[in-house]
């Protein structure tokens, strides 16, 4: 018999509406061990399914199934295979993509990315961190994909929040710690154990190709990281400049450019300062990409975040030549698609530059959006034509 978590009426309604999380304020649970598999019931004791429990997170319950689960590790192994099969059907033009995207693959708390012959794994919850579960994950990935190496990427803050003992990032299988991969025919390095964030922003992969389709002339990739957009733009642009505040990211960007035989200028700078200087000195571009980090990490800093997006977009719009292309992104879940449209629209009015929408895009298909779980729908990417 599994321990039982009873939900408040509000908690149960959340599940009935399609979500898979229940917050601590909506449950009653006593003495349940961290990370346990639990039965979930509504306030009258009616069974709602099976979940993984966290004793420390505000998200206390993450649903696994509306049925009862007898063998947790078997279920996890089955779902990993299903996630891999799904990618085989939907992913193209790359050997780097997300294999498991947590809730969106019915494996809450687990993220797995593939970089050609290597896998990078992240464990985000007590439930997924339990030894039998970890072992099942690693064994199944290894059996199905036979990677040269599996690395674990640890976010110390996540472990602290989940009250899990500290752990270092490192190899779980094999000895190889770097490789090269390709997206849309463009090549990149992957060094698993170095850098600020190891790996690429795979969720932008299809947006790189879309941006490249419309890009031309002189291009500026702002918040370029390791050059994802810049390297794609280079195929169709006469000159490309990438800007980022992180020197290590730009060093990798430069290696990536060499790998592709591209000549790109990389500038280490604060994007806000650089855009201010460049726009006031009258610099002009034909294509600008804005892909800042998530400014709104929570609802609390939404106002500041919106101001940040507005400023960036306003300056970029002013610098575009007539007929220019603006590719503008937001990966803040708290800034919804409507909010983002409004911000970019108001920047366009202030800049006196009518803007037409060419494409409204989200994350690549290997980062599925699960209907009912709005948090899985976080990335917005607008491709705009600026008159
Ligand atoms: N476009 C990239 C991803 C960008 S992630 C890609 O497709 O791969 C956000 C980047 O913004 C990070 O590389 C980070 O170093 C950089 N960054 C954060 N704050 C910045 C600032 N104020 N000025 C310039 N770069 C910044």
């Amino acid at each position: 018999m599994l321990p039982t978590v009873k939900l408040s009426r509000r908690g149960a309604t959340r599940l009935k509406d399609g979500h898979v999380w229940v917050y601590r304020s909506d449950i009653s649970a006593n003495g349940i061990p961290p990370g346990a598999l639990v039965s979930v019931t509504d306030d009258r004791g009616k069974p709602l399914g099976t979940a993984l429990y966290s004793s420390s997170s505000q998200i206390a319950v993450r649903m696994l199934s509306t049925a009862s689960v007898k063998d947790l590790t078997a279920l996890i192994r089955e779902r990993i295979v299903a996630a891999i099969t799904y990618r085989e059907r939907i992913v193209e033009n790359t050997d780097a993509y997300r294999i498991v995207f947590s809730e969106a693959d019915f494996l809450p708390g687990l993220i797995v990315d593939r970089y050609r012959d290597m896998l990078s794994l992240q464990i985000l919850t007590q439930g997924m961190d339990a030894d039998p579960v970890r072992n099942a994950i690693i064994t199944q990935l290894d059996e199905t994909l036979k990677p040269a190496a599996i690395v674990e990427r640890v976010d110390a803050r996540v472990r602290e929040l989940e009250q899990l003992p500290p752990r270092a990032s490192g190899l779980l299988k094999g000895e190889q710690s770097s490789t090269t991969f390709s997206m849309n025919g463009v090549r990149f390095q992957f060094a698993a154990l170095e850098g600020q964030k190891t790996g690429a922003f795979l969720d932008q992969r299809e947006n790189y190709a879309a941006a490249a389709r419309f890009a031309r002339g002189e291009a500026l990739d702002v918040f370029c990281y390791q050059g994802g957009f810049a390297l794609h733009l280079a195929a169709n642009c006469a000159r490309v400049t990438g800007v980022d505040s992180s020197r290590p990211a730009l060093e990798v960007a430069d290696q990536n450019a060499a790998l592709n035989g591209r000549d790109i200028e990389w500038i280490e700078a604060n994007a806000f300062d650089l855009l201010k200087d460049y726009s006031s000195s009258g610099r002009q571009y034909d294509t600008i990409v804005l892909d800042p980090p998530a400014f709104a990490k929570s609802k609390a800093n939404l106002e500041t975040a919106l101001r940040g997006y507005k400023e960036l977009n306003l300056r970029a719009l002013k610098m575009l030549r007539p007929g220019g292309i603006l590719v503008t992104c937001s990966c803040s879940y708290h800034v919804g698609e409507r909010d983002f449209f409004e911000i970019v629209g108001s920047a366009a009015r202030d800049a006196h530059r009518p803007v037409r929408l060419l494409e409204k895009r989200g994350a690549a298909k290997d980062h599925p959006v699960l209907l009912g779980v709005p948090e899985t729908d976080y990335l917005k990417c607008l491709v705009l034509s600026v008159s």
Side-chain angles (χ1 to χ4, degrees):
M1 270 285 282
L2 299 177
T4 300
V5 172
K6 196 174 196 177
L7 307 188
S8 67
R9 200 171 285 184
R10 189 173 63 178
T13 303
R14 228 177 125 70
L15 296 189
K16 283 179 194 136
D17 289 345
H19 214 295
V20 292
W21 294 348
V22 184
Y23 293 103
R24 185 154 307 282
S25 52
D26 285 322
I27 68 163
S28 63
N30 281 318
I32 298 181
L37 188 68
V38 294
S39 294
V40 177
T41 73
D42 71 7
D43 57 325
R44 289 187 291 186
K46 185 176 154 236
L48 297 175
T50 314
L52 289 171
Y53 176 74
S54 169
S55 61
S56 65
S57 169
Q58 277 314 304
I59 306 169
V61 164
R62 292 173 196 252
M63 293 305 289
L64 276 175
S65 173
T66 50
S68 68
V69 172
K70 304 249 152 22
D71 185 341
L72 174 61
T73 54
L75 179 75
I76 286 183
R77 290 174 67 133
E78 224 171 83
R79 288 193 175 169
I80 288 176
V81 173
I84 293 169
T85 310
Y86 186 69
R87 301 315 185 273
E88 282 165 1
R89 284 176 25 220
I90 57 151
V91 174
E92 49 188 15
N93 300 330
T94 187
D95 54 10
Y97 49 91
R98 180 149 291 183
I99 286 176
V100 175
F101 187 27
S102 201
E103 278 75 15
D105 284 296
F106 320 107
L107 289 162
L110 177 65
I111 291 181
V112 183
D113 291 331
R114 173 179 171 197
Y115 294 93
R116 196 166 67 140
D117 52 349
M118 294 183 66
L119 299 181
S120 158
L121 174 149
Q122 273 180 285
I123 284 180
L124 307 172
T125 56
Q126 294 172 352
M128 286 290 168
D129 196 58
D131 277 336
V133 176
R134 265 183 175 272
N135 292 338
I137 294 168
I138 296 163
T139 311
Q140 192 60 56
L141 288 170
D142 198 22
E143 271 176 24
T144 314
L145 296 167
K146 304 187 178 56
I150 304 180
V151 290
E152 180 176 3
R153 221 176 82 195
V154 175
D155 181 337
R157 217 180 56 93
V158 167
R159 289 192 73 85
E160 210 175 293
L161 287 174
E162 283 284 304
Q163 291 173 1
L164 292 166
R167 236 186 120 90
S169 292
L171 283 161
L172 300 175
K173 186 221 152 175
E175 313 216 312
Q176 180 183 325
S177 66
S178 64
T179 193
T180 57
F181 61 93
S182 77
M183 299 191 270
N184 314 301
V186 179
R187 297 177 66 206
F188 294 86
Q189 319 248 3
F190 173 63
L193 303 171
E194 292 163 24
Q196 49 172 2
K197 166 196 186 289
T198 49
F201 289 88
L202 301 173
D203 53 355
Q204 290 282 27
R205 186 183 57 255
E206 295 170 1
N207 298 333
Y208 296 152
R213 213 150 49 230
F214 295 102
R216 55 188 173 72
E218 284 180 75
L220 183 65
D221 175 8
V222 189
F223 305 96
C224 66
Y225 184 57
Q226 298 176 351
F229 278 103
L231 286 154
H232 279 81
L233 301 181
N236 297 331
C237 293
R239 269 184 49 198
V240 181
T241 303
V243 181
D244 203 282
S245 59
S246 158
R247 176 174 288 272
L250 292 178
E251 279 164 9
V252 181
D254 200 39
Q255 290 163 20
N256 287 338
L259 206 57
N260 293 279
R262 296 287 185 198
D263 188 14
I264 295 175
E265 176 191 25
W266 307 107
I267 302 180
E268 182 186 341
N270 179 315
F272 286 91
D273 298 342
L274 179 125
L275 289 180
K276 191 167 170 217
D277 287 355
Y278 276 24
S279 63
S280 56
S281 66
R283 287 224 193 194
Q284 293 210 300
Y285 290 90
D286 303 291
T287 304
I288 298 180
V289 176
L290 298 174
D291 183 21
F295 290 149
K297 292 248 159 42
S298 70
K299 269 191 203 154
N301 52 12
L302 187 58
E303 283 304 311
T304 324
L306 293 178
R307 271 201 299 280
Y309 287 116
K310 169 91 184 258
E311 177 176 338
L312 292 173
N313 282 282
L314 178 60
R315 296 209 194 278
L317 284 162
K318 285 184 174 165
M319 286 200 289
L320 280 165
R321 296 195 178 99
I325 296 293
L326 176 64
V327 179
T328 182
C329 311
S330 163
C331 57
S332 300
Y333 161 67
H334 296 285
V335 177
E337 188 181 276
R338 279 287 125 207
D339 303 322
F340 195 50
F341 261 120
E342 266 169 40
I343 288 288
V344 179
S346 97
R349 287 193 297 281
D350 290 3
H352 306 291
R353 304 295 299 274
V355 163
R356 286 179 285 184
L357 182 63
L358 288 167
E359 287 194 16
K360 182 168 79 176
R361 310 182 55 91
K365 288 187 281 297
D366 49 319
H367 293 63
V369 173
L370 181 61
L371 299 192
V373 184
E375 290 82 357
T376 56
D377 188 12
Y378 60 97
L379 183 64
K380 289 139 299 264
C381 172
L382 307 180
V383 184
L384 305 166
S385 166
V386 182
S387 300

